[in-house]
CSV table of all heavy atoms in Angstrom, one decimal:
chain,number,residue,atom,x,y,z
A,94,PRO,N,1.7,-45.5,2.4
A,94,PRO,CA,0.7,-46.2,1.7
A,94,PRO,C,1.1,-46.7,0.4
A,94,PRO,O,0.4,-47.5,-0.2
A,94,PRO,CB,-0.5,-45.3,1.7
A,94,PRO,CG,0.1,-43.9,1.6
A,94,PRO,CD,1.4,-44.0,2.3
A,102,ILE,N,-4.9,-53.6,3.1
A,102,ILE,CA,-5.3,-52.4,2.4
A,102,ILE,C,-5.3,-51.3,3.4
A,102,ILE,O,-6.0,-51.4,4.4
A,102,ILE,CB,-6.7,-52.5,1.7
A,102,ILE,CG1,-6.7,-53.7,0.7
A,102,ILE,CG2,-7.1,-51.2,1.1
A,102,ILE,CD1,-8.1,-54.1,0.3
A,103,GLY,N,-4.5,-50.2,3.1
A,103,GLY,CA,-4.4,-49.1,4.1
A,103,GLY,C,-3.8,-49.6,5.4
A,103,GLY,O,-3.2,-50.7,5.4
A,107,ASP,N,-7.9,-53.3,7.2
A,107,ASP,CA,-8.7,-53.8,6.0
A,107,ASP,C,-7.8,-54.8,5.2
A,107,ASP,O,-6.6,-54.6,5.0
A,107,ASP,CB,-9.1,-52.7,5.1
A,107,ASP,CG,-10.2,-51.8,5.8
A,107,ASP,OD1,-11.3,-52.3,6.0
A,107,ASP,OD2,-9.8,-50.7,6.2
A,115,LEU,N,0.8,-49.5,-5.5
A,115,LEU,CA,0.1,-48.2,-5.4
A,115,LEU,C,1.2,-47.2,-5.6
A,115,LEU,O,2.3,-47.2,-4.9
A,115,LEU,CB,-0.5,-48.1,-4.0
A,115,LEU,CG,-1.4,-46.9,-3.7
A,115,LEU,CD1,-2.5,-46.8,-4.7
A,115,LEU,CD2,-2.0,-47.1,-2.3
A,182,ARG,N,-3.1,-47.3,-9.1
A,182,ARG,CA,-2.9,-48.6,-8.5
A,182,ARG,C,-3.2,-49.7,-9.5
A,182,ARG,O,-4.1,-49.5,-10.4
A,182,ARG,CB,-3.8,-48.7,-7.2
A,182,ARG,CG,-5.2,-49.2,-7.4
A,182,ARG,CD,-5.9,-49.2,-6.0
A,182,ARG,NE,-5.3,-50.2,-5.1
A,182,ARG,CZ,-5.2,-50.0,-3.8
A,182,ARG,NH1,-5.7,-49.0,-3.2
A,182,ARG,NH2,-4.7,-50.9,-3.0
A,207,HIS,N,-16.3,-49.4,-0.5
A,207,HIS,CA,-15.8,-48.1,-0.2
A,207,HIS,C,-16.2,-47.1,-1.3
A,207,HIS,O,-16.6,-47.4,-2.4
A,207,HIS,CB,-14.2,-48.1,-0.1
A,207,HIS,CG,-13.6,-48.4,-1.4
A,207,HIS,ND1,-13.5,-49.7,-2.0
A,207,HIS,CD2,-12.9,-47.6,-2.3
A,207,HIS,CE1,-12.9,-49.6,-3.1
A,207,HIS,NE2,-12.5,-48.4,-3.4
A,209,ASP,N,-14.3,-43.7,-3.3
A,209,ASP,CA,-13.0,-43.1,-3.5
A,209,ASP,C,-13.0,-41.6,-3.1
A,209,ASP,O,-14.0,-40.9,-3.4
A,209,ASP,CB,-12.7,-43.1,-5.0
A,209,ASP,CG,-12.5,-44.6,-5.5
A,209,ASP,OD1,-12.4,-45.5,-4.7
A,209,ASP,OD2,-12.5,-44.8,-6.7
A,210,PRO,N,-12.0,-41.2,-2.3
A,210,PRO,CA,-12.0,-39.9,-1.8
A,210,PRO,C,-11.8,-38.8,-2.8
A,210,PRO,O,-12.1,-37.6,-2.6
A,210,PRO,CB,-10.8,-39.9,-0.8
A,210,PRO,CG,-10.4,-41.3,-0.7
A,210,PRO,CD,-10.9,-42.0,-1.9
A,211,GLN,N,-11.2,-39.1,-4.0
A,211,GLN,CA,-10.8,-38.1,-5.0
A,211,GLN,C,-11.9,-37.4,-5.8
A,211,GLN,O,-13.1,-37.6,-5.4
A,211,GLN,CB,-9.7,-38.7,-5.9
A,211,GLN,CG,-8.4,-39.1,-5.3
A,211,GLN,CD,-8.4,-40.4,-4.6
A,211,GLN,OE1,-9.4,-41.1,-4.5
A,211,GLN,NE2,-7.2,-40.8,-4.1
A,280,PHE,N,-6.5,-42.4,-10.0
A,280,PHE,CA,-7.3,-41.5,-9.1
A,280,PHE,C,-6.9,-40.1,-9.2
A,280,PHE,O,-5.7,-39.7,-8.9
A,280,PHE,CB,-7.0,-41.9,-7.6
A,280,PHE,CG,-7.4,-43.4,-7.3
A,280,PHE,CD1,-6.4,-44.4,-7.4
A,280,PHE,CD2,-8.6,-43.8,-7.0
A,280,PHE,CE1,-6.7,-45.7,-7.2
A,280,PHE,CE2,-9.0,-45.1,-6.8
A,280,PHE,CZ,-8.0,-46.1,-6.9
A,316,ALA,N,-9.0,-39.4,5.5
A,316,ALA,CA,-9.3,-40.6,4.8
A,316,ALA,C,-8.3,-41.7,5.2
A,316,ALA,O,-8.7,-42.9,5.5
A,316,ALA,CB,-9.3,-40.4,3.3
A,317,TYR,N,-7.1,-41.4,5.3
A,317,TYR,CA,-6.1,-42.4,5.6
A,317,TYR,C,-6.1,-42.8,7.0
A,317,TYR,O,-5.6,-43.9,7.4
A,317,TYR,CB,-4.7,-41.9,5.2
A,317,TYR,CG,-4.4,-42.2,3.7
A,317,TYR,CD1,-4.8,-41.4,2.7
A,317,TYR,CD2,-3.9,-43.5,3.4
A,317,TYR,CE1,-4.6,-41.7,1.4
A,317,TYR,CE2,-3.7,-43.8,2.0
A,317,TYR,CZ,-4.1,-42.9,1.0
A,317,TYR,OH,-3.9,-43.3,-0.3
A,319,SER,N,-9.1,-43.5,8.3
A,319,SER,CA,-10.4,-44.2,8.4
A,319,SER,C,-10.3,-45.6,7.9
A,319,SER,O,-9.3,-46.0,7.3
A,319,SER,CB,-11.5,-43.5,7.5
A,319,SER,OG,-11.1,-43.6,6.1
A,320,ARG,N,-11.4,-46.4,8.2
A,320,ARG,CA,-11.5,-47.8,7.7
A,320,ARG,C,-12.0,-47.7,6.3
A,320,ARG,O,-12.8,-46.7,6.0
A,320,ARG,CB,-12.4,-48.6,8.5
A,320,ARG,CG,-11.9,-48.9,9.9
A,320,ARG,CD,-10.7,-49.9,9.9
A,320,ARG,NE,-10.9,-51.2,9.3
A,320,ARG,CZ,-11.1,-52.3,9.9
A,320,ARG,NH1,-11.1,-52.3,11.3
A,320,ARG,NH2,-11.3,-53.4,9.3
A,321,LEU,N,-11.7,-48.6,5.4
A,321,LEU,CA,-12.1,-48.6,4.0
A,321,LEU,C,-13.6,-48.3,3.9
A,321,LEU,O,-14.0,-47.5,3.1
A,321,LEU,CB,-11.8,-50.0,3.4
A,321,LEU,CG,-11.8,-50.1,1.9
A,321,LEU,CD1,-10.9,-49.1,1.3
A,321,LEU,CD2,-11.4,-51.5,1.5
A,325,ARG,N,-16.7,-41.5,4.8
A,325,ARG,CA,-15.7,-40.5,5.2
A,325,ARG,C,-16.2,-39.1,5.1
A,325,ARG,O,-15.7,-38.2,5.7
A,325,ARG,CB,-14.5,-40.6,4.3
A,325,ARG,CG,-13.6,-41.7,4.7
A,325,ARG,CD,-12.4,-41.9,3.7
A,325,ARG,NE,-12.9,-42.7,2.6
A,325,ARG,CZ,-13.0,-44.1,2.7
A,325,ARG,NH1,-12.8,-44.7,3.8
A,325,ARG,NH2,-13.4,-44.7,1.6
B,401,GA4,C1,-9.6,-45.9,-1.7
B,401,GA4,C2,-9.3,-45.3,-3.1
B,401,GA4,C3,-7.8,-45.6,-3.5
B,401,GA4,O1,-7.7,-47.0,-3.8
B,401,GA4,C4,-6.9,-45.2,-2.3
B,401,GA4,C5,-7.2,-46.1,-1.2
B,401,GA4,C6,-6.3,-46.0,0.1
B,401,GA4,C7,-5.2,-47.1,0.1
B,401,GA4,O2,-5.4,-48.2,-0.4
B,401,GA4,O3,-4.2,-46.8,0.7
B,401,GA4,C8,-7.3,-46.1,1.3
B,401,GA4,C9,-8.7,-46.0,0.7
B,401,GA4,C10,-8.5,-45.5,-0.7
B,401,GA4,C11,-9.6,-45.0,1.6
B,401,GA4,C12,-9.4,-45.2,3.1
B,401,GA4,C13,-8.0,-45.6,3.5
B,401,GA4,C14,-7.0,-45.1,2.4
B,401,GA4,C15,-7.2,-47.4,2.1
B,401,GA4,C16,-7.9,-47.0,3.4
B,401,GA4,C17,-8.3,-47.9,4.3
B,401,GA4,C18,-5.4,-45.3,-2.8
B,401,GA4,C19,-7.3,-43.9,-1.8
B,401,GA4,O4,-6.8,-42.8,-2.1
B,401,GA4,O5,-8.2,-44.1,-0.8
Side-chain angles (χ1 to χ4, degrees):
I102 300 168
D107 290 289
L115 188 56
R182 87 181 297 147
H207 65 285
D209 292 345
Q211 291 83 357
F280 301 94
Y317 275 86
S319 67
R320 293 291 300 257
L321 194 55
R325 279 174 281 283

